[in-house]
Every structure is written in structure tokens, then in C-alpha cells.
Amino acid sequence: MSVKCGIVGLPNVGKSTLFNCISSAKAEAANFPFCTINPQIGFTSVPDERLETLVKMVHPKNIVPATVEIVDIAGLVKGASKGEGLGNQFLANIRETDAILHVLRCFDDTNIVHVNGSVDPMRDKEIVDTELQIKDLETVESRLSKVQKQAKTGGDKDALKLCNVLEQYKAALEKGKSARTVTFENKDEQKLAKELYLLTNKPVMYVCNVDEKSAKNGNAYVEKVRETVKDEGAEILVLAAKIESDIAEMETYEDKRMFLDEMGLKESGVVRLIQSAYRLLNLETFFTQGEPEVRAWTYNKGDKAPQAAGVIHTDFERGFIRAEVIKFQDFVKYGSEAACRAAGKLATEGKDYTVQDGDIMHFLFNV
């Protein structure tokens, strides 16, 4: 499955710098507002030491890591929905993302202008939240006007369900609340709600962009963010985009490792961001291996074997027969699939098997 994240924030908070650090594409980053105009799309591999271990053991011809797609859009300002700045038209480009990376400026620097004249991450958060809510309200009202006619004139039961979902969202958004504050017990309504792709219904990671000295432990701005969003169920990541930019330019792993050690950091912010995104979206990884290819696959935590097989191809799920499963630790211990099989460490699992993070899998199917 493909994972897609959209970056939002005010101008000059470090959005494009962060995008450049984690993405294969490069967006222009400069010390003036609205440097990013056109949406930027890039991809990054998901860092996973287990994949590297399998590659060293199997020596495949091809290596395919899991990937994350990143979308960077123009910075939002207060009144964007009314045309201020570059407006909010670019929000459509992140409507179908899985999660929002909301970058907040948590550092002081008189050399980098702030669009609102001072550093206040919670004020900035509220501005962006409001603009996203207004965009969602536009979407809900537009859809509601059409669905209400279908529900009244045609007696369409699905239209009636959707109408109820939209009306609940409308009530919340008009009160300045995000769509994620509305919950539905009915599975049909949950499905309809998800298909609306509302921006404020997506999981959020707040990326606190700090100065170099605050990269390890954060600062007062970060603590204010933590306190404010503690009940949102969001991920909070602290990083210094300037440091990440320096790391991204280093050519060797040894140079990066030495730099991180000097900074007192165990992992780069980019690695931690991807890991946090997986936690936020409740995602895990299974592997397929062989001489032709070693590959990492992303699946939803809790998926059964047929659903995981469907990540590879829908035919695998449709014609699922069984899965052969080796635990990653066993594969490392015994050294090969044949050795695991001989040691009784290859399990045959049916459709009720819940896939575990790190499983090495082979699916048998028939269509």
C-alpha cells in the first residue's frame, strides 16, 4: 500500500526545507513568504534495518524498500480562504493524503522573517487549523446541497445516511471544531465519512522545527505545543530542519552517524518522522524474500493474512489459500528459508492469521 503525507504550515516555518530533507524531489527554500507556489511531490524510502539485514543474507538482484509520498504545498496565512496570500486552492492537492504533517516554527531568529511578526506556534496552529476547517466546511456544504435533494426526492437510503454524516460535520465545523472530533458508531457512516477525504479528519503530526541547541530536548515553545495538543491523539516530533538539511548533504553513513553522535541524537529527524508517521497511521511492515528480490510491504496493523496478501496484488487476496510465515528473528538465527523449514520454524497459516510486524511471508493463492 502507498503511504502519502501532506505538509502544511505558515510561510517561512521550514516546510520546504523539511520537504527537501526527506524527499527525492527538491523544492525551493528561501527567506521570504510563498517561496513554494506550485505543489511539490517527492518520495522517500522507509528506513528499516531489518530490510538491510535481509539483503546482506539473501544477496538479491533487486531491493525494494517501502516508500512514503510527500506533498508540499504553499504556506497558508490567515484569511487564505478569502484569497489572502496565495489563497487555499492548493489544499486540494493534499485532500487524498493519509496524514497531515503540520510544521510549526519553534525557534527565534531575527534573520528569518515571520509572516505574523513574532514567533507563537499555538497562534500559528490555530490559523492553519481554521483555514483547513473552512476548506472542509466548503466541501461539506457543497456536497450537502446535492445530497439533500437526492434524499428528499428519491428516498435514497444511502443519501439519507450521507446527509446525516454531512450535517454532523457541518455542525462541528461551524463551531470551529475539526472533523476528527466527530465520531460515528455505524460502520456504513464510518465508511461514508472516510470517503469524504476531509482535511481535518486526517491524523496529524505536529513537527516542531527548533533551533540547533533545542534539537535534543526541545524548548519552551515545544512544551507549549505538547500541552495544547495532548488530547488530540496526535504525534509530536521535534527536529531542527537546518540540522536535517546538513545531514541530507552528507554522502556517507559514517559521516551522518558521527554528526548525530556529536549532537547527542540517536536518529536523524527524518528517520524519526517516518517512524512516527507509521505509528500515527497504525502501519507495520512484512517482507518477501528470495534471490530475485527482497521487498518491504506496508500493511495496516491487525490485518489478517488475506488482507496483507492483497497489498501485493488483489488476486492474492481474492484467491488466498494459505501463507507460509517465518519470524524475522528466526530467519536471522537459522540463516535461510531452507534452514528455518528444517528447524520447524516455517509456519503454515490460514485466513485467520493476524500478520505480525517483521513477518517474512510467502503467499499461496489460486484464481
Side-chain angles (χ1 to χ4, degrees):
M1 62 183 291
S2 175
V3 181
K4 191 174 183 180
C5 298
I7 301 179
V8 302
L10 296 186
N12 275 20
V13 297
K15 288 168 46 275
S16 295
T17 300
L18 178 64
F19 174 83
N20 289 340
C21 294
I22 61 180
S23 169
S24 57
K26 295 299 176 185
E28 186 177 357
N31 182 22
F32 56 86
F34 312 117
C35 178
T36 299
I37 297 178
N38 296 317
Q40 305 287 328
I41 299 175
F43 295 85
T44 187
S45 298
V46 176
D48 197 319
E49 292 182 356
R50 296 170 302 182
L51 180 66
E52 296 174 11
T53 299
L54 288 175
V55 168
K56 291 176 182 178
M57 295 177 68
V58 178
H59 304 293
K61 295 177 182 177
N62 194 31
I63 306 163
V64 184
T67 60
V68 175
E69 181 178 346
I70 307 292
V71 183
D72 180 30
I73 62 170
L76 293 168
V77 295
K78 187 174 183 179
S81 56
K82 299 176 182 178
E84 294 294 328
L86 293 177
N88 66 2
Q89 69 268 32
F90 296 118
L91 288 175
N93 295 99
I94 60 169
R95 186 165 297 287
E96 294 190 20
T97 56
D98 300 298
I100 298 293
L101 308 179
H102 186 161
V103 183
L104 296 168
R105 177 171 169 176
C106 294
F107 66 90
D108 294 305
D109 189 336
T110 56
N111 294 318
I112 300 178
V113 296
H114 192 293
V115 70
N116 289 321
S118 62
V119 177
D120 185 342
M122 299 325 304
R123 175 203 58 206
D124 297 351
K125 173 188 177 302
E126 186 175 339
I127 289 171
V128 172
D129 283 350
T130 298
E131 293 304 322
L132 296 180
Q133 289 164 6
I134 292 172
K135 187 66 175 179
D136 277 350
L137 185 58
E138 291 174 4
T139 300
V140 167
E141 288 179 334
S142 174
R143 191 73 184 274
L144 188 58
S145 63
K146 299 174 183 176
V147 174
Q148 283 176 329
K149 294 177 182 177
Q150 295 174 348
K152 290 178 181 178
T153 59
D156 189 326
K157 291 184 179 180
D158 289 336
L160 285 169
K161 289 179 183 177
L162 180 55
C163 198
N164 178 56
V165 169
L166 290 166
E167 285 174 345
Q168 290 191 56
Y169 276 144
K170 183 174 184 289
L173 291 164
E174 286 178 336
K175 293 177 183 177
K177 297 180 179 180
S178 293
R180 68 181 67 89
T181 62
V182 180
T183 57
F184 300 96
E185 299 296 328
N186 184 284
K187 288 187 177 180
D188 289 339
E189 290 182 335
Q190 290 173 1
K191 183 174 182 292
L192 290 169
K194 186 176 180 180
E195 291 172 349
L196 291 171
Y197 295 106
L198 297 181
L199 297 167
T200 62
N201 202 29
K202 300 181 187 299
V204 179
M205 181 194 304
Y206 294 104
V207 181
C208 298
N209 184 14
V210 300
D211 55 88
E212 185 174 314
K213 66 180 181 181
S214 305
K216 183 178 179 180
N217 299 314
N219 55 31
Y221 291 130
V222 173
E223 291 310 309
K224 188 178 291 187
V225 173
R226 290 190 193 281
E227 178 63 26
T228 303
V229 307
K230 63 183 180 181
D231 297 324
E232 289 190 21
E235 284 277 331
I236 297 176
L237 181 74
V238 179
L239 58 74
K242 178 61 174 66
I243 289 177
E244 298 304 317
S245 182
D246 292 339
I247 293 173
E249 293 178 1
M250 295 179 185
E251 295 183 358
T252 68
Y253 172 81
E254 289 73 19
D255 287 342
K256 293 179 181 182
R257 184 69 266 163
M258 188 180 300
F259 183 80
L260 288 169
D261 289 341
E262 289 176 358
M263 296 298 301
L265 300 172
K266 293 182 179 180
E267 297 280 4
S268 72
V270 169
V271 170
R272 289 184 288 114
L273 185 147
I274 300 300
Q275 293 170 342
S276 294
Y278 266 55
R279 286 196 301 270
L280 181 66
L281 294 169
N282 214 23
L283 301 175
E284 292 181 335
T285 304
F286 72 86
F287 303 94
T288 53
Q289 63 79 33
E291 186 178 318
E293 180 180 272
V294 167
R295 183 163 184 161
W297 302 89
T298 302
Y299 70 97
N300 293 305
K301 185 177 181 179
D303 273 358
K304 302 294 185 182
Q307 286 74 54
V311 172
I312 298 176
H313 197 287
T314 53
D315 284 350
F316 282 31
E317 180 175 4
R318 186 159 55 93
F320 178 86
I321 298 174
R322 63 182 182 274
E324 294 179 340
V325 183
I326 302 173
K327 297 302 176 185
F328 175 78
Q329 296 86 343
D330 288 335
F331 193 93
V332 173
K333 179 179 178 179
Y334 292 96
S336 70
E337 180 178 325
C340 287
R341 189 184 297 272
K345 295 299 182 179
L346 186 150
T348 299
E349 304 287 358
K351 63 181 181 180
D352 292 328
Y353 175 71
T354 301
V355 181
Q356 302 299 305
D357 188 40
D359 278 354
I360 299 170
M361 308 190 74
H362 175 69
F363 297 103
L364 289 85
F365 69 102
N366 183 36
V367 290

